[in-house]
């Protein structure tokens, strides 16, 4: 009975020995043919055998049942389990969107190192020694003696590009930048910028405005307005800060734009001729514009995120929403 590996096999063994016409029944029948004196003893033996066989049958039957319970039955008609699927980080998504927006305007994508010399991060951008931006308070130095820093902005990529390419130039440069900031809702010591640079003959401020307006409308909708406010950056002249109409209230005034209807994005301007000297461009022949932007800032506006730290915590409950 132990060898019976299915209900049917076990049942046929049972019938063979314990069935109404089985071997045991035959033996009971045969009791009548043995001498009277031995019948009692034989009857006892047959009953004991029968009890043993019944117990064995019971055991074998239970074992089969247990085995059946333990075998996973596969129901091929059930719908499959969904595998957890990752998604692109919101900063990656926004960076890609910004890139493709500028690529459609004819910009290519450039990259530069995150570890820079002071020359690229400051000097060649016309940021003089002693300028507050160069202060240890703001800049993370790899080696002060060797003048090696973690880039504090993506603007040094402008210099690398112009050193390696003559005009016309139309590039954007996305990447990580580093500043000595204590993290809070709007600061992070590592964040992302995208730099833009266009240099050619006859480029003027209207080209800058048109480019930024097109970008704003592509990213946030065709009702977007932009405005430029006078500002100062050593590497642009004139310099401006540019704002988008508030992406939340669309210019009406709300909590996010503090009632102004405008949201500050970043800085821009016409490339300062002083910068062309460092890269040996003919400042008489060429003009250009440059602009920067913070990727986190754009992403926060786009998805209405009110704390920059969410981007770096890798909390799956946050990331799953994108
Ligand atoms: N590099 C500046 C910053 O990090 C942003 C910036 C301002 C970039 C003006 C530019 C520009 O290209 O023209 O604050």
């Amino acid at each position: 009975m132990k060898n019976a590996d299915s209900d049917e096999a076990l049942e046929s063994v049972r019938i063979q020995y314990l069935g109404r016409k089985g071997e045991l029944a035959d033996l009971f029948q045969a009791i009548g043919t043995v001498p009277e004196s031995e019948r009692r003893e034989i009857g006892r033996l047959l009953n004991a055998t029968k009890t043993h066989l019944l117990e064995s049958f019971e055991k074998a039957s239970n074992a089969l049942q247990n085995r059946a319970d333990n075998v996973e039955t596969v129901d091929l008609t059930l719908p499959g389990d969904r595998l957890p699927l990752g998604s692109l980080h919101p900063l990656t998504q926004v960076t890609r969107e910004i890139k493709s927006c500028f690529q459609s305007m004819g910009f290519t994508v450039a990259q530069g190192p995150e570890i820079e010399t002071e020359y690229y991060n400051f000097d060649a951008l016309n940021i003089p020694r002693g300028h507050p931006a160069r202060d240890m308070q703001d800049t993370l130095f790899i080696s002060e003696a060797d003048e090696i820093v973690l880039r504090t902005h993506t603007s040094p990529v402008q210099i690398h590009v112009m050193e390696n390419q003559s005009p016309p130039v139309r590039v954007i440069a996305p990447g990580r930048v580093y500043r000595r900031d204590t993290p809070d809702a709007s600061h992070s010591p590592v964040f992302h910028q995208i730099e833009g640079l266009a240099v050619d003959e006859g480029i003027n401020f209207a080209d800058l405005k048109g480019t930024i307006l097109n970008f704003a409308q592509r990213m946030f909708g065709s009702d977007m307005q932009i405005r430029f406010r006078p500002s100062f950056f050593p590497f642009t002249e004139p310099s401006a800060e540019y704002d988008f109409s508030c992406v939340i209230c669309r210019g009406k005034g709300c909590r996010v734009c503090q009632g102004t209807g405008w949201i500050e994005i970043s800085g821009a301007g016409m490339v300062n001729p002083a910068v062309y000297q460092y890269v040996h461009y003919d400042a008489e022949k060429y003009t250009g514009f440059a602009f920067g932007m913070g990727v986190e800032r754009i992403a926060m506006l786009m998805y209405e995120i009110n704390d920059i730290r969410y981007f770096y915590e890798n909390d799956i409950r946050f990331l799953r929403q994108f």
Side-chain angles (χ1 to χ4, degrees):
M1 279 196 240
K2 266 197 212 147
N3 293 335
D5 59 1
S6 68
D7 287 341
E8 293 77 36
L10 186 61
E11 180 61 7
S12 79
V13 177
R14 192 191 67 81
I15 289 165
Q16 187 187 343
Y17 294 101
L18 291 161
R20 269 196 302 135
K21 293 177 183 161
E23 292 186 20
L24 205 61
D26 287 348
L27 289 170
F28 274 110
Q29 285 262 307
I31 281 186
T33 66
V34 299
E36 281 256 359
S37 58
E38 290 172 18
R39 275 187 206 162
R40 244 177 95 88
E41 182 58 12
I42 289 187
R44 200 186 59 75
L45 280 172
L46 281 179
N47 273 323
T49 305
K50 184 177 176 183
T51 308
H52 177 74
L53 282 174
L54 281 170
E55 278 171 8
S56 303
F57 173 77
E58 189 73 13
K59 264 196 219 157
S61 168
N62 284 342
L64 268 182
Q65 188 58 46
N66 277 342
R67 221 166 68 184
D69 288 348
N70 288 335
V71 170
E72 250 185 88
T73 46
V74 178
D75 182 349
L76 295 173
T77 65
L78 285 174
D81 287 336
R82 247 174 223 283
L83 289 174
L85 199 63
S87 57
L88 292 175
H89 192 279
L91 291 177
T92 307
Q93 290 189 35
V94 170
T95 302
R96 287 192 182 179
E97 248 179 87
I98 298 172
K99 271 195 212 166
S100 81
C101 178
F102 283 103
Q103 278 169 330
S104 76
M105 288 189 262
F107 286 73
T108 55
V109 177
Q111 279 195 318
E114 290 175 25
I115 297 174
E116 273 293 10
T117 57
E118 286 194 64
Y119 175 79
Y120 284 98
N121 198 76
F122 299 122
D123 296 288
L125 288 163
N126 197 37
I127 306 172
R129 279 159 203 266
H131 189 284
R134 297 178 75 136
D135 200 294
M136 298 274 305
Q137 296 293 328
D138 300 314
T139 307
L140 287 156
F141 281 79
I142 299 266
S143 161
E144 210 192 345
D146 296 329
E147 306 192 341
I148 297 170
V149 300
L150 288 174
R151 68 178 177 193
T152 58
H153 51 178
T154 44
S155 302
V157 185
Q158 291 186 31
I159 306 300
H160 289 292
V161 168
M162 288 190 280
E163 276 183 349
N164 290 308
Q165 185 186 332
S166 25
V169 165
R170 250 179 284 151
V171 291
I172 55 161
R176 260 194 291 268
V177 300
Y178 302 82
R179 289 205 193 154
R180 221 172 133 161
D181 270 325
T182 307
D184 64 23
S186 52
H187 293 88
S188 163
V190 187
F191 59 105
H192 300 78
Q193 286 187 336
I194 296 182
E195 192 76 14
L197 174 71
V199 183
D200 201 351
E201 289 179 55
I203 289 197
N204 59 36
F205 208 99
D207 297 316
L208 170 61
K209 284 184 87 172
T211 303
I212 298 291
L213 179 63
N214 187 274
F215 165 64
Q217 297 188 337
R218 284 272 308 262
M219 292 296 284
F220 291 102
S222 53
D223 59 337
M224 269 290 123
Q225 308 278 313
I226 57 164
R227 77 172 180 187
F228 285 74
R229 289 174 288 110
S231 185
F232 175 79
F233 297 98
F235 37 94
T236 43
E237 180 58 37
S239 301
E241 262 164 80
Y242 61 96
D243 303 341
F244 289 178
S245 44
C246 178
V247 301
I248 309 296
C249 65
R250 301 277 145 181
K252 284 191 205 65
C254 69
R255 202 175 43 80
V256 174
C257 60
Q258 288 159 348
T260 64
W262 296 98
I263 299 270
E264 273 183 49
I265 302 296
S266 185
M270 301 306 292
V271 179
N272 191 328
V275 172
Y276 291 141
Q277 298 204 329
Y278 287 95
V279 296
H280 311 296
Y281 273 17
D282 182 350
E284 293 299 319
K285 191 168 171 199
Y286 298 112
T287 52
F289 63 77
F291 59 87
M293 71 184 74
V295 180
E296 280 81 352
R297 179 137 182 80
I298 305 275
M300 286 168 85
L301 292 171
M302 192 156 247
Y303 299 119
E304 295 179 39
I305 295 162
N306 57 16
D307 193 319
I308 197 172
R309 290 168 293 193
Y310 284 125
F311 290 120
Y312 319 113
E313 282 166 354
N314 280 335
D315 186 330
I316 202 77
R317 293 167 301 178
F318 171 76
L319 295 175
R320 219 182 247 146
Q321 301 175 74
F322 302 95

